[in-house]
Amino acid sequence: MSKTIAETLADFIQRASYENLPKEVTHQAKRCLLDTCGAVIAGSYHSTSGKIAQNYARSLEEPPKATIIGTDIMRSPQTAAFANGIAAHALELDDGSRHATYHPGSSIIPSSLALCEAEGKAAQDLIAAIAVGYEVSIRIGKSMNPHHYLKGFHPTGTVAHFGTTAACSQILNLSVEETVNALGLAGSLASGINQYEIDGSLVKHLHPGNAARNGILTALLAKEGLTGPRGVIEGRLGFCHCFSDRYDISSITEGLGTQYDILSIYFKPYPSCRYVHYANEATLNILKEHPMTPEDIDQIHILTHQNAKQGSDIPDYQTVLHARLSIQYGIASILARGKAGLQEYTEEAIKDPKVHEIAKKITIEIDPEIQKLYPNPRSMIVQIKDKKGNIYSSRVDYPKGDPENPMTDEELTDKFIDVTEGVISKKRQAEIIENTLNGSHDAPVRSLMRLLRF
């Protein structure tokens, strides 16, 4: 009998180690760790969701085993992973996979940090867990997308469960059989729908926190002997069938262990939905060649793919989260203020009438030729028409942060410093950067977590 997908993935998870993973993979995992730590620190301080998660954690009486980042609170690893996962996603600063339409860092890294801290693991255990978590979940996600996302599911809440479960199964040294069961349990706990796109509600941030918590739960339950279906992914009533109208099962295991999808993720220079980044860059390209003021503009038209229109065509944004998802807001902020950074996404900033006025001039259309290319590239064309009738256009295929247009280690470090400025000291910034990017492979994870507790 041939192996199920879960059995093949479990073999990979059980065999993978810091020593036998390619150096470029472990280095990328360290980059993801630094970037996500910055997102959690910023989210724990600046976001409403982060504060709510902290208050929830404070209300619980649990053994102090894992750190709620940005506080002096320690709770169970499940609660720490939950709170930190919410904070990681709250400002839209987290990394992502364009192929899986998914943000792996905001769930896998909080669950891995919390469990490694509680279990007394070393940096090499953490990095290996991150690497296998990304690999397993991105492969499942890309096999189902864009159809899984277009059906209304949020992969950062659904697909993420397989990533956190893979990472936690590795940290706990589960056997292949136990790991298969853990993945089987993950398929039933996976959840997250995109209705937040309609009203801008904060539930979006709950999704990676839930996946981070449940990854620890599934691994612990499997270790105790709870069983899950072996055909959880490809079975007649499995995850792919239930959650997507179309999927490609063979792609999940193709090149497993030799080709690594963690190398294809993107990092974000802007605190907004990735689709907004394409629009921002195209707008800046136009302004560089043809400087203009908001008063010069007659109308703006966007040509792009279905995912971007469904998720980010939000001219009448109602909340800060709505604005982070809105292509219209990103472009309008660039045109009105010249930037779209953290300070441009506040309750006060999104009420700016000048920005609203520009946003109303922006329309978005699905372009058949761009749709054919999706997801590589996920192109966007911005066309700005001025009041004299001139039309200026720019196309972006690979915005800054994509592997084809990468952020260097130095640029990721600069981003970390920027988003954590005013939250932690320069000394602590430097120590966290050193511990994540350049720390010893046998350093205890608890040393890093002490730097994240303040």
Side-chain angles (χ1 to χ4, degrees):
M1 183 184 294
S2 61
K3 288 182 179 179
T4 66
I5 299 296
E7 289 169 333
T8 302
L9 293 173
D11 282 337
F12 166 73
I13 294 163
Q14 204 268 343
R15 288 196 313 270
S17 68
Y18 184 83
E19 291 78 16
N20 65 26
L21 287 167
K23 289 288 183 274
E24 64 267 28
V25 169
T26 54
H27 182 66
Q28 181 80 322
K30 292 175 183 179
R31 284 160 51 86
C32 295
L33 175 61
L34 171 65
D35 192 60
T36 303
C37 284
V40 180
I41 292 168
S44 72
Y45 183 82
H46 291 295
S47 76
T48 300
S49 301
K51 296 296 184 187
I52 290 170
Q54 291 169 14
N55 291 337
Y56 168 72
R58 281 192 182 91
S59 74
L60 303 177
E61 293 185 10
E62 296 179 339
K65 293 186 175 181
T67 300
I68 312 292
I69 294 172
T71 75
D72 59 359
I73 311 168
M74 296 187 72
R75 291 293 184 266
S76 70
Q78 291 98 317
T79 296
F82 178 70
N84 295 336
I86 288 173
H89 196 48
L91 300 179
E92 293 287 336
L93 287 165
D94 43 338
D95 64 26
S97 163
R98 66 171 180 255
H99 300 282
T101 320
Y102 156 53
H103 300 282
S106 54
S107 58
I108 293 168
I109 289 173
S111 61
S112 299
L113 282 171
L115 194 56
C116 281
E117 181 180 18
E119 295 290 318
K121 296 290 184 173
Q124 60 186 343
D125 304 306
L126 171 64
I127 297 304
I130 291 169
V132 299
Y134 274 65
E135 199 59 32
V136 166
S137 55
I138 292 174
R139 283 172 170 272
I140 294 171
K142 74 178 185 179
S143 78
M144 303 170 68
N145 276 301
H147 312 287
H148 177 57
Y149 171 83
L150 294 174
K151 195 173 175 69
F153 291 108
H154 187 206
T156 300
T158 56
V159 171
H161 277 73
F162 294 104
T164 57
T165 295
C168 294
S169 296
Q170 229 233 17
I171 292 165
L172 293 176
N173 299 312
L174 298 191
S175 67
V176 169
E177 183 68 17
E178 290 168 336
T179 302
V180 170
N181 283 323
L183 293 169
L185 300 176
S188 282
L189 293 181
S191 63
I193 54 175
N194 284 334
Q195 183 65 19
Y196 62 81
E197 291 176 351
I198 307 304
D199 62 8
S201 52
L202 294 176
V203 68
K204 181 178 194 281
H205 306 152
L206 178 66
H207 296 169
N210 187 49
R213 175 178 59 189
N214 285 345
I216 297 173
L217 177 63
T218 54
L220 289 172
L221 290 175
K223 186 177 182 181
E224 293 298 322
L226 194 64
T227 60
R230 309 181 82 79
V232 62
I233 294 166
E234 77 278 23
R236 182 172 62 86
L237 300 175
F239 183 78
C240 287
H241 173 77
C242 292
F243 282 74
S244 186
D245 295 327
R246 290 171 59 187
Y247 46 86
D248 178 9
I249 292 297
S250 65
S251 68
I252 299 175
T253 54
E254 185 179 349
L256 183 66
T258 58
Q259 300 167 13
Y260 288 87
D261 282 287
I262 192 173
L263 301 176
S264 70
I265 67 157
Y266 61 78
F267 296 96
K268 286 183 171 183
Y270 297 104
S272 53
C273 174
R274 186 58 170 172
Y275 302 138
V276 180
H277 294 210
Y278 293 74
N280 289 356
E281 284 198 18
T283 303
L284 288 167
N285 289 343
I286 292 169
L287 292 176
K288 187 176 180 181
E289 296 293 325
H290 308 282
M292 64 184 83
T293 67
E295 291 72 29
D296 297 327
I297 296 168
D298 180 33
Q299 61 187 45
I300 301 167
H301 191 57
I302 312 291
L303 298 171
T304 190
H305 52 87
Q306 186 177 358
N307 281 47
K309 180 166 177 60
Q310 176 171 306
S312 293
D313 184 0
I314 308 174
D316 187 26
Y317 45 88
Q318 301 295 314
T319 68
V320 172
L321 185 141
H322 235 184
R324 291 187 192 280
L325 302 179
S326 170
I327 287 172
Q328 284 89 344
Y329 183 82
I331 290 177
S333 182
I334 293 285
L335 288 167
R337 306 156 173 153
K339 53 187 178 178
L342 279 175
Q343 297 308 311
E344 285 65 59
Y345 288 94
T346 65
E347 292 286 355
E348 183 178 356
I350 70 166
K351 294 174 184 175
D352 187 333
K354 183 181 288 188
V355 177
H356 271 282
E357 195 61 35
I358 302 168
K360 291 175 186 175
K361 298 180 179 182
I362 303 171
T363 55
I364 301 176
E365 176 187 351
I366 298 170
D367 180 83
E369 294 306 311
I370 289 176
Q371 188 64 47
K372 284 179 187 176
L373 297 173
Y374 182 93
N376 189 20
R378 301 193 298 184
S379 306
M380 187 175 294
I381 299 170
V382 173
Q383 299 170 336
I384 301 179
K385 180 182 179 183
D386 69 18
K387 290 179 178 176
K388 295 178 180 178
N390 300 308
I391 297 176
Y392 306 109
S393 179
S394 175
R395 175 178 179 138
V396 172
D397 293 323
Y398 300 107
K400 186 65 175 178
D402 269 18
E404 295 85 357
N405 185 13
M407 293 178 74
T408 64
D409 287 3
E410 184 178 1
E411 287 170 328
L412 278 177
T413 298
D414 288 343
K415 174 190 170 182
F416 175 86
I417 292 169
D418 179 58
V419 302
T420 61
E421 186 177 1
V423 184
I424 57 177
S425 67
K426 292 188 182 303
K427 179 176 182 293
R428 188 164 299 213
Q429 286 175 334
E431 290 173 330
I432 293 170
I433 292 165
E434 181 63 24
N435 271 261
T436 51
L437 281 185
N438 305 310
S440 170
H441 70 279
D442 57 1
V445 172
R446 288 172 180 168
S447 298
L448 171 61
M449 298 312 290
R450 280 194 290 272
L451 293 172
L452 300 175
R453 195 161 58 241
F454 47 87

Coordinates of all heavy atoms in Angstrom, one line a residue, residues 308-358:
A308 N -6.5 39.8 -5.7 CA -6.3 41.1 -5.3 C -7.6 41.9 -5.2 O -7.9 42.7 -4.3 CB -5.2 41.8 -6.1
K309 N -8.4 41.7 -6.3 CA -9.7 42.4 -6.3 C -10.6 42.0 -5.2 O -11.3 42.8 -4.5 CB -10.4 42.2 -7.7 CG -11.7 43.0 -7.7 CD -12.2 43.1 -9.1 CE -13.6 43.8 -9.2 NZ -13.6 45.2 -8.6
Q310 N -10.7 40.6 -5.0 CA -11.6 40.1 -4.0 C -11.1 40.6 -2.6 O -12.0 40.9 -1.7 CB -11.6 38.6 -4.0 CG -12.5 38.0 -2.9 CD -12.7 36.5 -3.1 OE1 -13.1 36.0 -4.1 NE2 -12.3 35.7 -2.1
G311 N -9.9 40.6 -2.3 CA -9.4 40.8 -0.9 C -9.1 42.3 -0.6 O -9.1 42.7 0.5
S312 N -8.8 43.1 -1.7 CA -8.2 44.4 -1.4 C -8.9 45.5 -2.2 O -8.3 46.7 -2.2 CB -6.7 44.4 -1.7 OG -6.1 43.6 -0.7
D313 N -10.0 45.3 -2.8 CA -10.7 46.4 -3.5 C -11.7 47.0 -2.5 O -12.9 46.6 -2.4 CB -11.5 45.8 -4.7 CG -12.2 46.9 -5.5 OD1 -12.1 48.1 -5.1 OD2 -12.9 46.5 -6.5
I314 N -11.2 47.9 -1.7 CA -12.0 48.4 -0.6 C -11.9 50.0 -0.6 O -11.1 50.6 0.1 CB -11.4 47.9 0.8 CG1 -11.3 46.4 0.8 CG2 -12.3 48.4 2.0 CD1 -10.7 45.7 2.0
P315 N -12.7 50.6 -1.4 CA -12.6 52.1 -1.5 C -13.2 52.8 -0.3 O -12.7 53.9 0.1 CB -13.4 52.4 -2.8 CG -14.3 51.2 -2.9 CD -13.6 50.0 -2.4
D316 N -14.2 52.1 0.4 CA -14.8 52.7 1.5 C -14.4 52.0 2.8 O -15.2 51.4 3.5 CB -16.3 52.6 1.4 CG -17.1 53.4 2.4 OD1 -16.5 54.3 3.0 OD2 -18.3 53.0 2.7
Y317 N -13.1 52.1 3.1 CA -12.5 51.5 4.3 C -13.1 52.0 5.6 O -13.3 53.2 5.7 CB -11.0 51.6 4.3 CG -10.5 53.0 4.0 CD1 -10.3 53.9 4.9 CD2 -10.3 53.4 2.6 CE1 -9.9 55.2 4.6 CE2 -9.9 54.6 2.3 CZ -9.7 55.6 3.3 OH -9.3 56.8 3.0
Q318 N -13.4 51.2 6.5 CA -14.1 51.6 7.8 C -13.3 51.5 9.0 O -13.5 52.2 10.0 CB -15.3 50.7 8.0 CG -16.3 50.7 6.8 CD -17.0 52.1 6.7 OE1 -17.4 52.7 7.7 NE2 -17.0 52.6 5.4
T319 N -12.3 50.7 9.0 CA -11.4 50.5 10.2 C -9.9 50.5 9.8 O -9.6 50.5 8.6 CB -11.7 49.1 10.9 OG1 -11.3 48.1 10.0 CG2 -13.2 49.0 11.2
V320 N -9.1 50.5 10.8 CA -7.6 50.5 10.5 C -7.3 49.2 9.8 O -6.5 49.2 8.8 CB -6.8 50.6 11.8 CG1 -5.3 50.4 11.5 CG2 -7.0 52.0 12.4
L321 N -7.9 48.1 10.2 CA -7.6 46.8 9.5 C -8.1 46.9 8.0 O -7.4 46.4 7.1 CB -8.2 45.6 10.2 CG -7.9 44.2 9.6 CD1 -7.7 43.2 10.7 CD2 -9.0 43.8 8.6
H322 N -9.3 47.4 7.9 CA -9.8 47.6 6.5 C -8.8 48.4 5.6 O -8.6 48.1 4.5 CB -11.1 48.4 6.6 CG -12.3 47.8 6.0 ND1 -13.5 48.3 5.9 CD2 -12.4 46.5 5.4 CE1 -14.4 47.5 5.3 NE2 -13.7 46.4 4.9
A323 N -8.3 49.5 6.2 CA -7.3 50.3 5.5 C -6.1 49.5 5.1 O -5.5 49.7 4.0 CB -7.0 51.6 6.3
R324 N -5.6 48.7 6.0 CA -4.4 47.9 5.7 C -4.6 46.9 4.6 O -3.7 46.5 3.9 CB -4.0 47.1 7.0 CG -3.5 47.9 8.1 CD -2.9 47.0 9.2 NE -2.7 47.7 10.4 CZ -1.6 48.5 10.7 NH1 -0.7 48.6 9.7 NH2 -1.4 49.1 11.8
L325 N -5.9 46.5 4.4 CA -6.2 45.6 3.3 C -6.5 46.3 2.0 O -6.5 45.7 0.9 CB -7.5 44.8 3.6 CG -7.4 43.9 4.9 CD1 -8.8 43.2 5.1 CD2 -6.3 42.9 4.9
S326 N -6.7 47.7 2.1 CA -7.3 48.4 0.9 C -6.2 48.9 0.0 O -5.3 49.7 0.4 CB -8.1 49.6 1.5 OG -8.4 50.5 0.5
I327 N -6.3 48.5 -1.3 CA -5.4 49.1 -2.3 C -5.6 50.6 -2.4 O -4.7 51.4 -2.6 CB -5.6 48.4 -3.7 CG1 -5.1 47.0 -3.6 CG2 -5.0 49.2 -4.8 CD1 -5.4 46.1 -4.8
Q328 N -6.9 51.0 -2.4 CA -7.3 52.4 -2.5 C -6.6 53.2 -1.4 O -6.1 54.3 -1.7 CB -8.8 52.6 -2.4 CG -9.5 52.2 -3.7 CD -9.9 50.7 -3.8 OE1 -9.4 49.9 -3.0 NE2 -10.8 50.4 -4.7
Y329 N -6.6 52.8 -0.2 CA -6.0 53.5 0.9 C -4.5 53.7 0.7 O -3.9 54.7 0.9 CB -6.3 52.9 2.3 CG -5.7 53.8 3.4 CD1 -6.4 54.9 3.8 CD2 -4.5 53.5 4.0 CE1 -5.9 55.7 4.9 CE2 -4.0 54.3 5.0 CZ -4.7 55.4 5.4 OH -4.1 56.2 6.4
G330 N -3.8 52.6 0.3 CA -2.4 52.6 0.2 C -2.0 53.6 -0.9 O -1.1 54.4 -0.6
I331 N -2.6 53.6 -2.0 CA -2.3 54.5 -3.1 C -2.6 55.9 -2.7 O -1.8 56.9 -2.9 CB -3.1 54.2 -4.4 CG1 -2.6 52.9 -5.0 CG2 -3.0 55.3 -5.4 CD1 -3.3 52.4 -6.2
A332 N -3.8 56.1 -2.1 CA -4.2 57.5 -1.7 C -3.2 58.1 -0.6 O -2.9 59.3 -0.6 CB -5.6 57.5 -1.1
S333 N -2.8 57.2 0.3 CA -1.8 57.7 1.3 C -0.5 58.1 0.7 O 0.1 59.1 1.0 CB -1.6 56.6 2.4 OG -0.7 57.1 3.4
I334 N 0.0 57.3 -0.3 CA 1.2 57.7 -1.0 C 1.0 59.0 -1.7 O 1.9 59.9 -1.7 CB 1.5 56.6 -2.0 CG1 1.9 55.2 -1.4 CG2 2.7 57.0 -3.0 CD1 3.3 55.2 -0.7
L335 N -0.1 59.2 -2.4 CA -0.3 60.4 -3.2 C -0.5 61.6 -2.3 O 0.0 62.7 -2.6 CB -1.5 60.2 -4.1 CG -1.3 59.3 -5.3 CD1 -2.6 59.0 -5.9 CD2 -0.4 60.0 -6.3
A336 N -1.2 61.5 -1.1 CA -1.4 62.6 -0.2 C -0.3 62.9 0.7 O 0.0 64.1 1.0 CB -2.7 62.3 0.6
R337 N 0.5 61.9 1.1 CA 1.5 62.1 2.1 C 2.9 61.7 1.7 O 3.9 61.9 2.4 CB 1.1 61.3 3.4 CG -0.3 61.5 3.9 CD -0.7 60.3 4.7 NE -2.0 60.6 5.4 CZ -2.8 59.6 5.8 NH1 -2.5 58.3 5.5 NH2 -3.9 59.8 6.4
G338 N 3.0 60.9 0.6 CA 4.3 60.4 0.2 C 4.7 59.2 0.8 O 5.8 58.6 0.6
K339 N 3.9 58.6 1.7 CA 4.3 57.4 2.4 C 3.1 56.6 2.9 O 2.0 57.1 3.0 CB 5.2 57.7 3.6 CG 4.6 58.7 4.5 CD 5.6 59.2 5.6 CE 5.1 60.3 6.5 NZ 6.0 60.7 7.5
A340 N 3.3 55.3 3.3 CA 2.3 54.5 3.8 C 2.9 53.5 4.9 O 2.8 52.3 4.7 CB 1.6 53.7 2.7
G341 N 3.5 54.1 5.9 CA 4.1 53.3 7.0 C 3.2 53.2 8.2 O 2.0 53.5 8.1
L342 N 3.8 52.8 9.3 CA 3.0 52.5 10.5 C 2.2 53.7 10.9 O 1.1 53.6 11.4 CB 4.0 52.1 11.7 CG 4.4 50.6 11.7 CD1 5.4 50.4 12.8 CD2 3.2 49.7 11.9
Q343 N 2.8 54.9 10.8 CA 2.1 56.1 11.3 C 0.9 56.5 10.4 O 0.1 57.3 10.8 CB 3.1 57.3 11.3 CG 4.2 57.1 12.4 CD 3.7 56.8 13.7 OE1 2.8 57.4 14.3 NE2 4.2 55.7 14.3
E344 N 0.9 55.9 9.2 CA -0.3 56.2 8.3 C -1.4 55.3 8.5 O -2.5 55.4 7.9 CB 0.2 56.1 6.8 CG 1.0 57.3 6.4 CD 2.3 57.5 7.1 OE1 3.2 56.5 7.0 OE2 2.6 58.5 7.8
Y345 N -1.3 54.3 9.5 CA -2.3 53.4 9.7 C -2.8 53.5 11.2 O -2.5 52.6 12.0 CB -1.9 51.9 9.4 CG -1.8 51.7 7.9 CD1 -0.6 51.8 7.3 CD2 -2.9 51.3 7.2 CE1 -0.5 51.6 5.9 CE2 -2.8 51.1 5.8 CZ -1.6 51.2 5.2 OH -1.5 51.0 3.8
T346 N -3.4 54.6 11.5 CA -3.9 54.8 12.8 C -5.4 55.3 12.7 O -5.8 55.6 11.6 CB -3.2 55.9 13.6 OG1 -3.3 57.2 12.9 CG2 -1.7 55.6 13.7
E347 N -6.1 55.3 13.8 CA -7.5 55.7 13.7 C -7.7 57.1 13.1 O -8.6 57.4 12.3 CB -8.2 55.6 15.1 CG -8.3 54.2 15.6 CD -9.5 53.4 15.0 OE1 -10.2 54.0 14.2 OE2 -9.6 52.2 15.3
E348 N -6.8 58.0 13.6 CA -6.8 59.4 13.1 C -6.4 59.5 11.6 O -7.0 60.2 10.8 CB -5.9 60.2 13.9 CG -5.9 61.7 13.6 CD -5.0 62.5 14.5 OE1 -4.4 62.0 15.4 OE2 -4.9 63.7 14.2
A349 N -5.3 58.7 11.3 CA -4.8 58.8 9.9 C -5.8 58.4 8.8 O -5.9 59.0 7.8 CB -3.5 58.0 9.7
I350 N -6.6 57.3 9.1 CA -7.5 56.8 8.1 C -8.7 57.7 7.9 O -9.5 57.5 7.0 CB -7.9 55.4 8.4 CG1 -8.9 55.3 9.6 CG2 -6.7 54.5 8.6 CD1 -9.6 53.9 9.8
K351 N -8.9 58.7 8.8 CA -10.1 59.6 8.6 C -9.7 60.8 7.8 O -10.6 61.6 7.5 CB -10.5 60.1 10.0 CG -11.1 59.0 10.9 CD -11.4 59.5 12.3 CE -11.9 58.4 13.2 NZ -12.1 58.8 14.6
D352 N -8.5 60.9 7.3 CA -8.1 62.1 6.6 C -8.9 62.3 5.3 O -9.0 61.4 4.4 CB -6.6 61.9 6.1 CG -6.0 63.1 5.5 OD1 -6.7 63.9 4.9 OD2 -4.7 63.2 5.5
P353 N -9.7 63.4 5.2 CA -10.6 63.6 4.1 C -9.9 63.6 2.7 O -10.4 63.2 1.7 CB -11.3 64.9 4.4 CG -10.4 65.6 5.4 CD -9.7 64.5 6.2
K354 N -8.7 64.2 2.7 CA -7.9 64.2 1.5 C -7.6 62.8 0.9 O -7.7 62.6 -0.3 CB -6.6 65.0 1.7 CG -5.8 65.2 0.4 CD -4.5 66.0 0.6 CE -4.7 67.4 0.9 NZ -3.5 68.2 1.0
V355 N -7.3 61.9 1.8 CA -7.0 60.5 1.4 C -8.3 59.9 0.9 O -8.3 59.2 -0.1 CB -6.4 59.8 2.6 CG1 -6.1 58.3 2.2 CG2 -5.0 60.4 3.0
H356 N -9.4 60.1 1.6 CA -10.7 59.5 1.2 C -11.1 60.0 -0.2 O -11.6 59.3 -1.0 CB -11.8 59.9 2.2 CG -11.9 59.0 3.4 ND1 -12.6 57.8 3.2 CD2 -11.5 59.1 4.6 CE1 -12.6 57.2 4.4 NE2 -12.0 57.9 5.3
E357 N -10.8 61.3 -0.4 CA -11.2 61.9 -1.7 C -10.4 61.2 -2.9 O -11.0 60.9 -3.9 CB -10.9 63.4 -1.7 CG -11.5 64.2 -2.8 CD -13.0 64.1 -2.9 OE1 -13.6 64.0 -1.8 OE2 -13.6 64.0 -4.0
I358 N -9.1 60.9 -2.7 CA -8.3 60.2 -3.7 C -8.8 58.8 -3.8 O -8.9 58.3 -5.0 CB -6.8 60.3 -3.3 CG1 -6.3 61.7 -3.2 CG2 -6.0 59.5 -4.4 CD1 -5.0 61.8 -2.6

